[in-house]
Amino acid sequence: MLRFAFKRLVSLGLSLVVASVVIFLFVEVVPGDPAAYMLGLNATEETLAALREQLGLSGTLAERYLSWVGGMLRGDFGTSYTYRTPVSEMIADRMWISLPLAIYALTLSTLIAFPAGIWAASKRGSAADVSVMGLTQLGVAIPNFWFAMLMVLVFAINLRWFSAGGFAGWEAGVYPAMKSLTLPAIALALPQASILARVMRSSLLDTLSEDFIRTARAKGLTKRQALWRHALRNALIPVLTIIGLQFSFLLAGAIIIENVFFLPGLGRLVFQAISARDLIVVESVVMLLVFAVIVVNFAVDIAYAAVDPRLRVRG
Amino acid sequence: MSLLEIEGLDLDIHGEAILKGVSLAVQPGQIVGVIGESGSGKSMTAFSVMQLLPDGAMCRGRVTLGGHEMLSLPEPSLCRLRGNEVGMVFQEPMTALNPIQTIGAQVAETILIHEDVSRAEAMARAREALERCELPEAKFPLSRYPHELSGGQRQRVVIAMAIALRPKLLIADEPTTALDVTTQAQILRLLRRLVDEDGMGLMLITHDLAVVADMAHEIVIMRHGEVVEAGPTGRVFDEMRHPYTRALFEASGHQPEREESPRDVPLLQVRDVVRDYALPRTRLFAPQEHFRAVNGVSFEIAKGESLGLVGESGCGKSTLTRAILGLEEVQAGEILLDGEPVFTGHRPNRDVRRRMQVVFQDPFGSFNPRWKVGPLVAEPFHLLRDPPTGAARDAAIAEALESVGLAAEDRHKYIHEFSGGQRQRIAIARALIIKPELIILDEAVSALDVSIRAQILDLLADLSARFGLTYLFISHDLSVVRTITDRVMVMQAGEIVEEGPTALVFDAPQHDYTKTLIAAAPVLPERGAA
């Protein structure tokens, strides 16, 4: 198991190196000179060169790559072209919203999906199964921003249980902060929960038709015992895969929901940075997201191995 | 009173009659062999006893197990009986165990479900059950996972689970069908020993008459959901009152009529072939280790000859087949078909490839279910430089289908519309369509019922005579190889250990391994001599 984790860790490091090179090169080839963009059309060649020097845009490709990576390793992501503040601070601010929001939404999604999927699978073909399938079908089909607006209408404007948007800030305490993240988290979680519940159900149904379930029943286990003791853990592998993908998506893909609720999260930051051609911010946030995705995949791989002993021997 | 009594059992599944008035009984300490071909209802009889039937099943009649009326018991009482009074062993040991639980936990579960004991005590008794099934602690600790065991060892774990509470009745549904002959012999010996030790009743379900011939006290023969003949084993073999019993018996030892043909020109030459596989590295920078699957194998097949290759799973016979077919490159030696190498450089030689075809064991898994039979049969045409098109192609498909006893019109159907035997005919038609010289039959009849098997063997003999085909017949089933081959080779651990004319090798085996194989193979009693 330790050896397996070590091998995964090595491949994690390699993926990060490859990803950083690709991101760096991609940003390099994007047309448009940030210095020219910032100084406008009338800037002289000398001022442009001075600004490029200041922004770390001069030097050879390799030098710039190494100084970028070196900076990141020291926690220095450079300075934003447009805001003139350190990128690391900007990201840290946004991270305190996006990360809790993603975890909150994923927790909700899992809490809804597991019972719903298990319930539907254990009562296959019954009214319970049909209604879970119907509701999840709706959940997948309805766009989450529409659902978000509906919730704002009902819970913020009519019932006044929640505020319609904005973030209270962690300084105000955990409860107000969590409260302002609740509607966005629900809006994000519902489509994810619908997908996850359907995956859980079909994976569980596949597992329930396996030979070893029949063996378990022949031992004297009830249907319920066979499901909980033998089917569930075996059915988890595809479910874990989806959870991993969903977490990566929730971290950065929440941009529309962030806009609906006026949350200054990572998604909005990337969007603004791209519009303003603030390449250093784009580069850093994308690298950070890639890092998050790779780390989540690593965690999912470790979880696979924890669930299935057959995977521990392979590397 | 009998331990198990089934009286007039009818079973309908979604309105379709599966069992019709089945009656049989098992006494304590008695082995009852239930024999039938696929679809005869023998497994469903077992599941009726367990009351583990699929949805939509309706039972009528009486099933009494140790005084319990199984058909009227509520589910919680049935759960208390399953695993406790009656245990069950299944056909497919590879998938019968939960892959992510240790064998210890799975055997102990039988005990924990039924008795109020501590986990430690359950584990100790699981150890004891595994010991009884000849899985000693030193090699098979409780912490082993199923994927670390072979098929035969897994079947022992399943048996240990079934007998952990010393049930009064054990139902074994084709327990050895998926296993090699020597493993089969060991598992059967184990079952017999457990019956003797515990005085347990054993209902042994199989399609193979020979498996039960020297083991069962009573035999029940089933067909189309009905019992056609039943009685003490000796008497059933002696009298064979029902024509179906006789047909089964004859099909089991069926000898297709084959003509001798002159064989002096070699068609396939295999010389000193070595095939290595890279093993996973044990440490990150450990030197690459290899597993030698085929070790210096040499042989020849003459034109028109039928050569058998016999060995157990893992002996390298499938690897050798892939090498002959040019699917994998060999590390040393050469393979020539009519003097032409199978591999030229690092690429398979297409000119050679189109002169040989292969028929695999699983007639369903080797067809694309979404294609119609016509295109399936015509698939090997892609090996030809200018394949026939239009009417010529249709004529070729029709000819291939007709030569295996199917109708030309069958080409418009899908593969799921055919039975197992018909599918294997289609597989043979597919192999024949480009008029190959060599056909490799890789366990081609192993999954078939005896009567179907007999028909396919006849077909193969007939085709060989008509088209001058050469066969390489690969099987773990000695009785089949014996009936259809001129010469036989025995393979063990990547090497050919014995080779010679089939009759000679079977009658006077020289190598110890060959002797073991032949001794392990179950045989039918001589007609009337039992």
Side-chain angles (χ1 to χ4, degrees), chain A residues 3 6-7 10 124 210-223 225-226 228-235 306-314, chain B residues 47 50 52 55 75 79 82-84 86-88 90-92 95-101 105-107 109-110 113-114 145 147 158 161 281-284:
Chain A
R3 231 171 51 110
F6 176 74
K7 276 180 162 176
V10 170
R124 181 184 199 173
E210 297 268 358
D211 285 352
F212 61 81
I213 297 296
R214 190 181 57 186
T215 314
R217 298 273 287 133
K219 267 196 238 178
L221 271 74
T222 62
K223 270 190 179 154
Q225 285 171 323
W228 285 97
R229 292 183 188 207
H230 292 276
L232 194 56
R233 223 177 105 191
N234 273 290
V307 167
D308 191 339
R310 285 169 298 180
L311 297 174
R312 286 173 210 161
V313 278
R314 296 182 215 148
Chain B
F47 286 120
M50 299 294 285
L52 284 176
D55 288 338
E75 180 63 21
C79 282
R82 291 184 204 123
N84 197 3
V86 51
M88 187 155 179
F90 305 93
Q91 172 169 2
E92 224 4 286
T95 52
L97 292 168
N98 185 342
I100 61 173
Q101 280 188 5
Q106 296 192 54
V107 178
E109 191 178 33
T110 310
I113 283 275
H114 293 284
Y145 284 99
H147 70 269
V158 177
M161 267 165 40
R281 286 171 205 258
T282 46
R283 292 192 318 277
L284 198 55

Coordinates of all heavy atoms in Angstrom, one line a residue, chain A residues 3 6-7 10 124 210-223 225-226 228-235 306-314, chain B residues 47 50 52 55 75 79 82-84 86-88 90-92 95-101 105-107 109-110 113-114 145 147 158 161 281-284:
Chain A
R3 N 4.0 1.5 -1.0 CA 4.7 1.5 -2.2 C 3.8 2.1 -3.3 O 4.2 2.8 -4.2 CB 5.1 0.1 -2.6 CG 6.6 0.0 -3.0 CD 6.9 -1.5 -3.1 NE 5.9 -2.1 -4.0 CZ 6.2 -2.5 -5.2 NH1 7.4 -2.4 -5.7 NH2 5.3 -3.1 -6.0
F6 N 3.6 5.7 -2.9 CA 4.8 6.4 -3.3 C 4.8 6.5 -4.9 O 5.1 7.6 -5.4 CB 6.0 5.6 -2.8 CG 7.3 6.1 -3.3 CD1 7.8 7.3 -2.8 CD2 8.1 5.5 -4.3 CE1 9.0 7.9 -3.2 CE2 9.3 6.0 -4.7 CZ 9.7 7.2 -4.2
K7 N 4.5 5.4 -5.6 CA 4.5 5.4 -7.0 C 3.5 6.5 -7.5 O 3.8 7.2 -8.5 CB 4.0 4.0 -7.5 CG 5.2 3.0 -7.6 CD 4.6 1.7 -8.2 CE 5.6 0.8 -8.7 NZ 4.9 -0.5 -9.1
V10 N 5.0 9.9 -7.2 CA 6.0 10.2 -8.2 C 5.3 10.6 -9.5 O 5.6 11.6 -10.1 CB 6.9 8.9 -8.5 CG1 7.8 9.2 -9.8 CG2 7.8 8.6 -7.3
R124 N -35.4 -1.7 -6.8 CA -35.4 -1.6 -8.3 C -36.8 -1.8 -8.9 O -37.5 -2.8 -8.5 CB -34.5 -2.6 -8.9 CG -34.4 -2.5 -10.3 CD -33.5 -3.6 -11.0 NE -33.2 -3.1 -12.3 CZ -32.4 -3.7 -13.1 NH1 -31.7 -4.8 -12.7 NH2 -32.1 -3.2 -14.3
E210 N -23.8 -9.6 -9.5 CA -22.6 -10.4 -9.6 C -22.8 -11.8 -8.9 O -23.7 -11.9 -8.0 CB -21.5 -9.7 -8.9 CG -21.1 -8.4 -9.5 CD -20.0 -8.6 -10.6 OE1 -19.5 -9.7 -10.7 OE2 -19.6 -7.6 -11.2
D211 N -22.0 -12.7 -9.3 CA -22.1 -14.1 -8.7 C -21.9 -14.0 -7.1 O -22.5 -14.8 -6.4 CB -21.0 -15.0 -9.3 CG -21.4 -15.4 -10.7 OD1 -22.5 -15.1 -11.1 OD2 -20.6 -16.0 -11.3
F212 N -21.0 -13.2 -6.6 CA -20.7 -13.3 -5.2 C -21.8 -12.8 -4.3 O -21.9 -13.1 -3.2 CB -19.3 -12.5 -4.9 CG -19.3 -11.1 -5.2 CD1 -19.9 -10.2 -4.3 CD2 -18.7 -10.6 -6.3 CE1 -19.9 -8.8 -4.6 CE2 -18.6 -9.2 -6.6 CZ -19.2 -8.4 -5.7
I213 N -22.8 -12.1 -4.9 CA -24.0 -11.7 -4.2 C -24.8 -12.9 -4.0 O -25.4 -13.2 -2.9 CB -24.7 -10.6 -4.9 CG1 -23.9 -9.3 -5.0 CG2 -26.1 -10.3 -4.2 CD1 -23.5 -8.7 -3.7
R214 N -24.9 -13.8 -5.0 CA -25.6 -15.0 -4.9 C -25.0 -15.9 -3.9 O -25.7 -16.5 -3.1 CB -25.6 -15.7 -6.3 CG -26.5 -16.9 -6.4 CD -26.4 -17.5 -7.8 NE -25.0 -17.9 -8.1 CZ -24.6 -18.3 -9.2 NH1 -25.4 -18.4 -10.2 NH2 -23.3 -18.7 -9.4
T215 N -23.6 -15.9 -3.9 CA -22.9 -16.7 -2.8 C -23.3 -16.2 -1.5 O -23.6 -17.0 -0.5 CB -21.4 -16.6 -3.0 OG1 -21.1 -16.8 -4.4 CG2 -20.7 -17.6 -2.2
A216 N -23.3 -14.9 -1.3 CA -23.6 -14.3 0.0 C -25.1 -14.7 0.4 O -25.3 -15.0 1.6 CB -23.5 -12.8 -0.1
R217 N -26.0 -14.7 -0.5 CA -27.4 -15.1 -0.2 C -27.4 -16.5 0.2 O -28.2 -16.9 1.1 CB -28.3 -14.8 -1.4 CG -28.3 -13.3 -1.8 CD -29.4 -12.6 -1.0 NE -30.7 -12.9 -1.5 CZ -31.8 -13.2 -0.7 NH1 -31.6 -13.2 0.6 NH2 -32.9 -13.4 -1.1
A218 N -26.6 -17.4 -0.5 CA -26.6 -18.8 -0.2 C -26.1 -19.1 1.2 O -26.4 -20.1 1.8 CB -25.8 -19.6 -1.2
K219 N -25.3 -18.1 1.7 CA -24.8 -18.3 3.1 C -25.8 -18.0 4.1 O -25.6 -18.2 5.3 CB -23.7 -17.2 3.3 CG -22.3 -17.6 3.0 CD -21.4 -16.6 3.6 CE -20.5 -16.0 2.6 NZ -19.6 -14.9 3.2
G220 N -26.9 -17.3 3.7 CA -28.0 -17.0 4.6 C -28.1 -15.5 4.9 O -28.8 -15.1 5.8
L221 N -27.4 -14.7 4.1 CA -27.6 -13.2 4.3 C -28.9 -12.8 3.7 O -29.3 -13.3 2.6 CB -26.4 -12.4 3.6 CG -25.2 -12.2 4.4 CD1 -24.4 -13.4 4.6 CD2 -24.3 -11.1 3.8
T222 N -29.6 -11.8 4.3 CA -30.8 -11.3 3.7 C -30.3 -10.4 2.5 O -29.1 -10.0 2.4 CB -31.6 -10.4 4.7 OG1 -30.7 -9.3 5.1 CG2 -32.0 -11.2 5.9
K223 N -31.3 -10.0 1.7 CA -31.0 -9.1 0.6 C -30.3 -7.8 1.0 O -29.3 -7.4 0.5 CB -32.3 -8.7 -0.2 CG -32.7 -9.6 -1.2 CD -33.8 -9.1 -2.1 CE -34.2 -10.0 -3.2 NZ -35.5 -9.9 -3.6
Q225 N -28.6 -7.3 3.9 CA -27.2 -7.6 4.4 C -26.3 -7.8 3.2 O -25.2 -7.3 3.2 CB -27.2 -8.9 5.2 CG -27.8 -8.6 6.6 CD -28.0 -10.0 7.4 OE1 -28.3 -11.0 6.7 NE2 -27.8 -9.9 8.7
A226 N -26.7 -8.5 2.2 CA -25.9 -8.7 1.0 C -25.5 -7.4 0.4 O -24.4 -7.1 0.0 CB -26.5 -9.6 0.0
W228 N -25.5 -4.3 1.9 CA -24.6 -3.4 2.7 C -23.2 -4.0 2.9 O -22.2 -3.3 2.9 CB -25.3 -3.2 4.0 CG -26.3 -2.2 3.9 CD1 -27.7 -2.4 3.8 CD2 -26.2 -0.7 3.8 NE1 -28.4 -1.3 3.6 CE2 -27.5 -0.2 3.7 CE3 -25.1 0.1 3.9 CZ2 -27.8 1.2 3.6 CZ3 -25.4 1.5 3.8 CH2 -26.7 2.0 3.6
R229 N -23.1 -5.4 3.0 CA -21.8 -5.9 3.4 C -21.0 -6.2 2.1 O -19.8 -6.2 2.2 CB -22.0 -7.3 4.1 CG -22.6 -7.1 5.5 CD -22.7 -8.4 6.1 NE -23.4 -8.3 7.4 CZ -23.2 -9.1 8.4 NH1 -22.4 -10.1 8.3 NH2 -23.9 -9.0 9.5
H230 N -21.7 -6.6 1.0 CA -20.9 -7.1 -0.1 C -21.0 -6.1 -1.3 O -20.0 -6.0 -2.0 CB -21.3 -8.5 -0.5 CG -20.9 -9.5 0.5 ND1 -19.7 -10.0 0.6 CD2 -21.6 -10.0 1.5 CE1 -19.6 -10.9 1.6 NE2 -20.8 -10.9 2.2
A231 N -22.2 -5.6 -1.6 CA -22.3 -4.9 -2.9 C -21.8 -3.4 -2.8 O -21.1 -3.0 -3.6 CB -23.8 -4.8 -3.3
L232 N -22.0 -2.8 -1.6 CA -21.8 -1.4 -1.6 C -20.3 -1.0 -1.8 O -20.0 -0.2 -2.7 CB -22.2 -0.8 -0.2 CG -22.4 0.7 -0.1 CD1 -23.3 1.2 -1.2 CD2 -22.9 1.1 1.2
R233 N -19.4 -1.6 -1.1 CA -18.0 -1.3 -1.3 C -17.5 -1.6 -2.7 O -16.7 -0.8 -3.3 CB -17.2 -2.0 -0.3 CG -16.1 -1.1 0.4 CD -15.3 -1.8 1.4 NE -14.0 -2.1 1.0 CZ -13.2 -2.9 1.7 NH1 -13.6 -3.4 2.8 NH2 -12.0 -3.1 1.2
N234 N -18.0 -2.7 -3.3 CA -17.6 -3.0 -4.6 C -18.2 -2.0 -5.6 O -17.6 -1.8 -6.7 CB -18.1 -4.4 -5.0 CG -17.2 -5.5 -4.6 OD1 -16.1 -5.6 -5.2 ND2 -17.5 -6.3 -3.6
A235 N -19.3 -1.4 -5.3 CA -19.9 -0.5 -6.2 C -19.3 0.9 -6.2 O -19.6 1.8 -6.9 CB -21.4 -0.4 -6.0
A306 N -7.6 1.7 -1.4 CA -8.2 1.4 0.0 C -9.4 0.5 -0.2 O -9.6 -0.4 0.6 CB -8.5 2.7 0.7
V307 N -10.2 0.8 -1.2 CA -11.4 0.0 -1.4 C -11.1 -1.4 -2.0 O -11.7 -2.4 -1.6 CB -12.4 0.8 -2.4 CG1 -13.5 -0.1 -2.8 CG2 -13.0 2.0 -1.6
D308 N -10.2 -1.4 -3.0 CA -10.0 -2.7 -3.8 C -8.6 -3.2 -3.6 O -7.7 -2.5 -4.2 CB -10.4 -2.4 -5.2 CG -10.5 -3.7 -6.0 OD1 -9.9 -4.7 -5.5 OD2 -11.1 -3.7 -7.1
P309 N -8.4 -4.3 -2.9 CA -7.0 -4.8 -2.7 C -6.3 -5.2 -4.0 O -5.1 -5.2 -4.1 CB -7.3 -6.0 -1.9 CG -8.7 -6.4 -2.1 CD -9.4 -5.1 -2.3
R310 N -7.1 -5.5 -5.1 CA -6.5 -5.9 -6.3 C -5.7 -4.7 -7.0 O -4.8 -4.9 -7.8 CB -7.5 -6.3 -7.3 CG -8.1 -7.7 -7.0 CD -9.3 -8.0 -7.8 NE -10.4 -7.0 -7.6 CZ -11.6 -7.1 -8.2 NH1 -11.8 -8.0 -9.1 NH2 -12.5 -6.2 -7.8
L311 N -6.1 -3.5 -6.6 CA -5.4 -2.3 -7.2 C -4.1 -2.0 -6.5 O -3.3 -1.2 -7.0 CB -6.3 -1.1 -7.2 CG -7.6 -1.3 -8.0 CD1 -8.5 -0.1 -7.8 CD2 -7.3 -1.5 -9.5
R312 N -3.9 -2.6 -5.4 CA -2.7 -2.1 -4.6 C -1.4 -2.7 -5.2 O -0.4 -2.1 -5.0 CB -2.8 -2.7 -3.1 CG -3.8 -1.9 -2.4 CD -4.1 -2.5 -1.0 NE -5.5 -2.2 -0.6 CZ -6.1 -2.8 0.3 NH1 -5.5 -3.8 1.0 NH2 -7.3 -2.5 0.6
V313 N -1.5 -3.8 -5.9 CA -0.2 -4.4 -6.4 C 0.2 -3.6 -7.7 O 1.4 -3.5 -7.9 CB -0.4 -5.8 -6.7 CG1 -0.2 -6.7 -5.5 CG2 -1.7 -6.1 -7.4
R314 N -0.7 -3.1 -8.4 CA -0.3 -2.4 -9.6 C 0.2 -1.0 -9.3 O -0.2 -0.4 -8.3 CB -1.5 -2.3 -10.6 CG -2.0 -3.6 -11.1 CD -3.1 -3.4 -12.1 NE -4.0 -4.5 -11.9 CZ -5.3 -4.4 -12.1 NH1 -5.8 -3.2 -12.4 NH2 -6.1 -5.4 -11.9
Chain B
F47 N -31.9 -24.1 -7.2 CA -32.3 -22.8 -6.7 C -33.7 -22.8 -6.0 O -34.0 -22.0 -5.2 CB -32.2 -21.7 -7.8 CG -30.8 -21.3 -8.1 CD1 -30.3 -21.4 -9.3 CD2 -30.0 -20.8 -7.1 CE1 -29.0 -21.1 -9.6 CE2 -28.7 -20.4 -7.3 CZ -28.2 -20.6 -8.6
M50 N -33.1 -23.9 -2.5 CA -32.6 -22.8 -1.8 C -33.6 -21.6 -1.7 O -33.4 -20.7 -0.9 CB -31.3 -22.2 -2.4 CG -30.1 -23.1 -2.6 SD -29.5 -23.6 -1.0 CE -28.5 -22.1 -0.5
L52 N -33.8 -19.4 -3.9 CA -33.1 -18.2 -4.4 C -33.4 -18.1 -5.9 O -32.5 -18.1 -6.7 CB -31.6 -18.4 -4.2 CG -31.0 -18.2 -2.8 CD1 -29.5 -18.5 -2.7 CD2 -31.3 -16.8 -2.3
D55 N -36.7 -13.1 -10.0 CA -38.0 -12.4 -9.8 C -38.9 -13.0 -10.8 O -38.6 -13.4 -11.9 CB -37.8 -10.9 -10.2 CG -37.1 -10.2 -9.0 OD1 -37.1 -10.8 -7.9 OD2 -36.5 -9.1 -9.3
E75 N -39.4 -15.6 4.3 CA -38.0 -15.3 4.0 C -37.0 -15.3 5.2 O -36.0 -15.9 5.1 CB -38.0 -13.9 3.2 CG -36.6 -13.4 2.8 CD -35.9 -14.3 1.8 OE1 -36.6 -15.1 1.1 OE2 -34.6 -14.2 1.7
C79 N -33.6 -17.6 5.4 CA -32.3 -17.1 5.6 C -31.6 -17.8 6.7 O -30.4 -18.0 6.7 CB -32.3 -15.6 6.0 SG -32.6 -14.5 4.6
R82 N -30.5 -21.2 5.1 CA -29.4 -21.2 4.1 C -28.1 -21.0 4.8 O -28.0 -20.1 5.6 CB -29.7 -20.0 3.1 CG -30.8 -20.1 2.2 CD -30.9 -18.9 1.3 NE -32.2 -18.7 0.8 CZ -32.9 -17.6 0.9 NH1 -32.4 -16.6 1.5 NH2 -34.2 -17.6 0.4
G83 N -27.1 -21.8 4.4 CA -25.8 -21.6 5.0 C -25.7 -22.4 6.3 O -24.6 -22.8 6.7
N84 N -26.8 -22.7 6.9 CA -26.8 -23.4 8.2 C -27.2 -24.9 8.0 O -26.4 -25.8 8.3 CB -27.8 -22.7 9.1 CG -27.6 -23.1 10.5 OD1 -26.7 -23.9 10.8 ND2 -28.5 -22.6 11.4
V86 N -28.4 -26.0 4.8 CA -28.0 -26.3 3.4 C -27.0 -25.3 2.9 O -27.2 -24.1 3.1 CB -29.3 -26.3 2.5 CG1 -30.1 -25.1 2.7 CG2 -28.9 -26.5 1.0
G87 N -25.9 -25.8 2.3 CA -24.9 -25.0 1.7 C -24.9 -25.2 0.2 O -25.4 -26.2 -0.3
M88 N -24.3 -24.2 -0.5 CA -24.3 -24.3 -1.9 C -23.0 -23.9 -2.5 O -22.3 -22.9 -2.0 CB -25.4 -23.5 -2.5 CG -25.6 -23.7 -4.0 SD -27.3 -23.3 -4.6 CE -27.0 -23.6 -6.3
F90 N -21.0 -23.1 -6.3 CA -21.4 -22.7 -7.6 C -20.3 -23.1 -8.7 O -19.2 -23.4 -8.4 CB -21.6 -21.2 -7.7 CG -22.7 -20.8 -6.7 CD1 -22.3 -20.4 -5.4 CD2 -24.0 -20.9 -6.9 CE1 -23.2 -20.0 -4.5 CE2 -24.9 -20.5 -6.0 CZ -24.5 -20.0 -4.8
Q91 N -20.8 -22.9 -10.0 CA -19.9 -23.3 -11.1 C -18.7 -22.4 -11.2 O -17.6 -22.9 -11.5 CB -20.7 -23.2 -12.4 CG -19.9 -23.4 -13.6 CD -20.7 -23.6 -14.8 OE1 -22.0 -23.5 -14.8 NE2 -20.1 -23.8 -16.0
E92 N -18.8 -21.1 -11.1 CA -17.8 -20.2 -11.5 C -17.0 -19.7 -10.3 O -17.3 -18.7 -9.7 CB -18.4 -19.0 -12.1 CG -17.8 -18.4 -13.4 CD -16.7 -19.2 -14.0 OE1 -15.6 -19.0 -13.4 OE2 -16.8 -19.8 -15.0
T95 N -15.7 -15.9 -9.9 CA -16.5 -14.8 -9.6 C -17.4 -15.0 -8.4 O -18.2 -14.2 -8.0 CB -17.4 -14.4 -10.8 OG1 -18.1 -15.6 -11.2 CG2 -16.6 -13.8 -11.9
A96 N -17.3 -16.2 -7.8 CA -18.2 -16.5 -6.7 C -17.8 -15.9 -5.3 O -18.5 -15.9 -4.4 CB -18.3 -18.0 -6.5
L97 N -16.6 -15.3 -5.3 CA -16.1 -14.7 -4.0 C -16.1 -13.2 -4.2 O -15.8 -12.7 -5.2 CB -14.7 -15.2 -3.7 CG -14.6 -16.7 -3.3 CD1 -13.2 -17.1 -3.2 CD2 -15.3 -16.9 -1.9
N98 N -16.4 -12.5 -3.1 CA -16.3 -11.1 -3.1 C -14.8 -10.7 -3.2 O -14.0 -11.0 -2.4 CB -16.8 -10.5 -1.7 CG -16.9 -9.0 -1.7 OD1 -16.2 -8.3 -2.5 ND2 -17.7 -8.5 -0.8
P99 N -14.4 -9.9 -4.3 CA -13.0 -9.7 -4.6 C -12.3 -8.8 -3.6 O -11.1 -8.7 -3.5 CB -13.1 -9.0 -6.0 CG -14.4 -8.4 -6.1 CD -15.3 -9.4 -5.3
I100 N -13.1 -8.0 -2.7 CA -12.4 -7.1 -1.9 C -12.5 -7.5 -0.4 O -12.2 -6.7 0.5 CB -13.0 -5.6 -2.1 CG1 -14.5 -5.6 -1.8 CG2 -12.8 -5.2 -3.5 CD1 -15.0 -4.2 -1.8
Q101 N -12.9 -8.7 -0.1 CA -12.8 -9.2 1.3 C -11.9 -10.4 1.4 O -11.8 -11.1 0.4 CB -14.2 -9.6 1.7 CG -15.1 -8.5 2.1 CD -16.4 -8.9 2.7 OE1 -16.6 -10.1 3.0 NE2 -17.3 -8.0 3.0
A105 N -12.5 -13.5 6.2 CA -13.7 -12.8 6.6 C -15.0 -13.4 5.9 O -16.0 -13.5 6.5 CB -13.6 -11.3 6.1
Q106 N -14.8 -13.9 4.7 CA -15.9 -14.5 4.0 C -16.4 -15.8 4.5 O -17.6 -16.1 4.6 CB -15.6 -14.6 2.5 CG -15.3 -13.2 1.8 CD -15.3 -13.2 0.3 OE1 -16.2 -13.7 -0.3 NE2 -14.2 -12.7 -0.2
V107 N -15.4 -16.6 4.9 CA -15.8 -17.9 5.5 C -16.4 -17.6 6.9 O -17.4 -18.2 7.3 CB -14.6 -18.9 5.6 CG1 -15.0 -20.2 6.3 CG2 -14.0 -19.1 4.2
E109 N -18.0 -15.2 7.9 CA -19.3 -14.6 7.8 C -20.4 -15.6 7.9 O -21.5 -15.3 8.6 CB -19.4 -13.8 6.5 CG -20.7 -12.9 6.5 CD -20.8 -12.1 5.2 OE1 -20.4 -12.6 4.2 OE2 -21.3 -11.0 5.3
T110 N -20.3 -16.8 7.3 CA -21.3 -17.8 7.4 C -21.6 -18.1 8.9 O -22.7 -18.3 9.3 CB -20.8 -19.1 6.8 OG1 -20.3 -18.8 5.5 CG2 -21.8 -20.2 6.7
I113 N -23.2 -14.9 10.8 CA -24.6 -14.7 10.4 C -25.5 -15.6 11.3 O -26.6 -15.2 11.6 CB -24.8 -15.0 8.9 CG1 -24.2 -13.9 8.1 CG2 -26.2 -15.3 8.6 CD1 -25.1 -12.7 7.9
H114 N -25.1 -16.8 11.5 CA -26.0 -17.8 12.1 C -25.8 -18.0 13.6 O -26.7 -18.5 14.3 CB -25.9 -19.1 11.4 CG -26.4 -19.1 9.9 ND1 -27.7 -19.1 9.6 CD2 -25.7 -19.0 8.8 CE1 -27.8 -19.0 8.3 NE2 -26.6 -18.9 7.8
Y145 N -6.5 -12.6 -0.2 CA -7.7 -12.1 -1.0 C -7.9 -13.1 -2.2 O -7.0 -13.8 -2.6 CB -7.4 -10.7 -1.6 CG -7.5 -9.6 -0.6 CD1 -6.4 -9.1 0.1 CD2 -8.8 -9.2 -0.2 CE1 -6.5 -8.1 1.0 CE2 -8.9 -8.2 0.7 CZ -7.8 -7.6 1.3 OH -8.0 -6.7 2.3
H147 N -8.2 -12.8 -5.3 CA -7.4 -12.7 -6.5 C -6.0 -13.3 -6.4 O -5.3 -13.5 -7.4 CB -7.3 -11.3 -7.0 CG -6.5 -10.4 -6.1 ND1 -7.0 -9.7 -5.1 CD2 -5.1 -10.1 -6.1 CE1 -6.0 -9.0 -4.5 NE2 -4.9 -9.2 -5.1
V158 N -15.0 -21.5 -1.5 CA -16.4 -21.5 -1.6 C -17.0 -22.7 -0.8 O -18.0 -22.6 -0.1 CB -16.9 -21.5 -3.0 CG1 -18.4 -21.6 -3.1 CG2 -16.4 -20.3 -3.7
M161 N -16.9 -22.2 2.9 CA -18.0 -21.3 3.3 C -19.2 -22.1 3.4 O -20.0 -21.9 4.4 CB -18.2 -20.2 2.2 CG -17.5 -19.0 2.5 SD -17.4 -17.9 1.1 CE -18.9 -18.0 0.4
R281 N 7.9 -4.9 -12.1 CA 9.1 -4.7 -11.3 C 8.8 -4.7 -9.8 O 7.8 -4.1 -9.4 CB 9.8 -3.3 -11.7 CG 10.4 -3.3 -13.0 CD 10.9 -1.9 -13.4 NE 11.0 -1.8 -14.8 CZ 12.2 -1.8 -15.4 NH1 13.3 -2.0 -14.8 NH2 12.2 -1.7 -16.7
T282 N 9.6 -5.3 -9.1 CA 9.4 -5.4 -7.6 C 9.8 -4.1 -6.9 O 9.2 -3.7 -6.0 CB 10.1 -6.6 -7.0 OG1 11.5 -6.6 -7.5 CG2 9.5 -7.9 -7.4
R283 N 10.9 -3.5 -7.4 CA 11.3 -2.2 -6.9 C 11.4 -1.3 -8.1 O 11.3 -1.7 -9.2 CB 12.7 -2.3 -6.2 CG 12.7 -3.1 -5.0 CD 14.0 -2.9 -4.2 NE 15.2 -2.9 -5.1 CZ 15.8 -4.0 -5.5 NH1 15.3 -5.2 -5.2 NH2 16.9 -3.9 -6.3
L284 N 11.5 0.0 -7.8 CA 11.5 1.0 -8.9 C 12.6 0.8 -9.9 O 12.3 0.8 -11.1 CB 11.6 2.4 -8.2 CG 11.1 3.5 -9.2 CD1 9.7 3.3 -9.6 CD2 11.2 4.9 -8.4

